[in-house]
Amino acid sequence: MNLLKIDDLHASLEGKEILKGLNLEIKPGEIHAIMGPNGSGKSTLSKIIAGHPDYKVTQGSINYEVNFKLRDLLSLEADARAREGIFLAFQYPVEVPGVSNAEFLRAAFNAIVSHQGGEEMDALDFDHYLKEKLRFLEMPLDFINRQVNLDFSGGEKKRNEILQMAILAPRLSILDETDSGLDVDSLRLVANGVNKLKTPENSIVLITHYQRLLEYIVPDVVHVLFEGKIVCSGDKNLALEIEKRGYEHLIN
Ligand code: ADP
Ligand code: MG
């Protein structure tokens, strides 16, 4: 059974059609990479899956498995999708001044856990849980007391997204160019984090420009998105081919 199934998705922003008949199927435990030139609609796709209200779906469907049944994802608001385990790591992570990482994460964690029938954690228990995840990800403990993303370096912001992923334990994670702007060491840290968080039940979508990230996180499927559609799919070798020959020959 698919965790996510997208059929003939058409979507527009401010009257301009950006996605033009996109199909995608993701099974539990799979890592998919979505590559493609700038402006092809990769970020648009991720925001639509997460439920960004500015985008209008004009045709097609997105279904997502909840309790072993495919549900119409488009009928759920963004916060409901997050509670069902959909997580989007932004290309440009937002700063939340005045809110500590620990408070922010605990609020998000408790909202998801209580919806899924689990127990909420108080500040003390959550502090233990958070520290355990930081150690697991080999991240400095001071991350949790800092204000969300405020004065974080590019690499720290991206690692903070991975921390959020570890805490919230999403079933579907979409990482939009989490590798962009990272030096090799930060890239390796981010990639190690993602690899550690992979389970047979959860699925990960990596949106990336470069094959470099895919040296560290090996995808099961690689797709090329161009002008609002997936124009070809393959295994990890497709990413190597793109690195060598570019997109041109795949698009035509
Ligand atoms: P990618 O992530 O693949 O680079 P995007 O999904 O960001 O592509 O963009 C797809 C298309 O949507 C592009 O043509 C881009 O110009 C357009 N677009 C993206 N954001 C906006 C916006 N806020 N307003 C108008 N057009 C936008
Ligand atoms: Mg983008």
Side-chain angles (χ1 to χ4, degrees):
M1 187 171 195
N2 287 307
L3 178 62
L4 185 77
K5 188 170 189 299
I6 301 181
D7 291 292
D8 192 33
L9 186 68
H10 291 250
S12 56
L13 178 67
E14 291 161 8
K16 177 184 164 195
E17 187 170 59
I18 298 173
L19 299 185
K20 303 170 182 174
L22 186 140
N23 298 298
L24 181 66
E25 290 185 13
I26 300 176
K27 294 204 160 44
E30 287 181 343
I31 297 182
H32 287 234
I34 299 183
M35 305 181 75
N38 270 329
S40 31
K42 302 183 297 297
S43 294
T44 299
L45 174 64
S46 61
K47 288 184 217 167
I48 287 173
I49 295 172
H52 195 298
D54 288 355
Y55 295 85
K56 199 175 252 143
V57 171
T58 52
Q59 194 177 314
S61 60
I62 306 182
N63 286 286
Y64 177 73
E65 185 264 310
V66 178
N67 296 331
F68 308 104
K69 276 198 207 103
L70 283 180
R71 275 193 69 173
D72 171 20
L73 193 65
L74 296 173
S75 67
L76 299 180
E77 300 289 335
D79 57 341
R81 296 183 200 190
R83 287 193 297 272
E84 295 298 351
I86 293 181
F87 173 79
L88 172 60
F90 291 107
Q91 185 167 0
Y92 306 104
V94 285
E95 298 180 354
V96 191
V99 178
S100 79
N101 242 347
E103 294 168 74
F104 175 80
L105 286 170
R106 190 164 76 92
F109 174 86
N110 280 338
I112 292 174
V113 155
S114 65
H115 173 75
Q116 295 182 357
E119 283 220 13
E120 293 193 14
M121 282 194 211
D122 63 24
L124 195 64
D125 286 343
F126 190 73
D127 191 59
H128 289 301
Y129 176 65
L130 198 46
K131 284 186 176 141
E132 183 190 299
K133 293 293 177 191
L134 284 165
R135 276 190 287 269
F136 177 67
L137 293 171
E138 294 166 59
M139 286 172 64
L141 295 183
D142 74 350
F143 253 79
I144 52 180
N145 300 318
R146 294 170 68 179
Q147 301 175 56
V148 181
N149 286 325
L150 201 73
D151 302 320
F152 279 32
S153 71
E156 284 176 336
K157 281 185 181 170
K158 298 299 167 98
R159 290 184 74 193
N160 206 30
E161 298 286 297
I162 304 304
L163 175 63
Q164 290 177 16
M165 190 176 151
I167 296 295
L168 303 179
R171 299 169 65 218
L172 177 65
S173 304
I174 306 168
L175 308 181
D176 190 1
E177 300 210 18
T178 294
D179 51 338
S180 70
L182 294 187
D183 58 41
V184 179
D185 290 333
S186 307
L187 182 72
R188 203 177 289 132
L189 287 167
V190 163
N192 282 346
V194 172
N195 284 329
K196 281 186 179 178
L197 296 174
K198 182 177 152 46
T199 73
E201 287 83 38
N202 65 17
S203 308
I204 299 168
V205 177
L206 300 170
I207 294 178
T208 181
H209 255 324
Y210 305 106
Q211 112 83 20
R212 201 175 64 150
L213 179 69
L214 307 179
E215 285 171 18
Y216 299 103
I217 308 172
V218 180
D220 298 294
V221 191
V222 175
H223 308 276
V224 175
L225 179 51
F226 179 67
E227 290 187 351
K229 264 191 236 179
I230 288 180
V231 293
C232 90
S233 303
D235 63 13
K236 62 181 195 300
N237 293 312
L238 180 57
L240 294 171
E241 197 184 324
I242 290 166
E243 181 89 340
K244 256 190 258 148
R245 301 175 60 197
Y247 291 110
E248 288 297 309
H249 69 292
L250 297 168
I251 287 165
N252 299 311

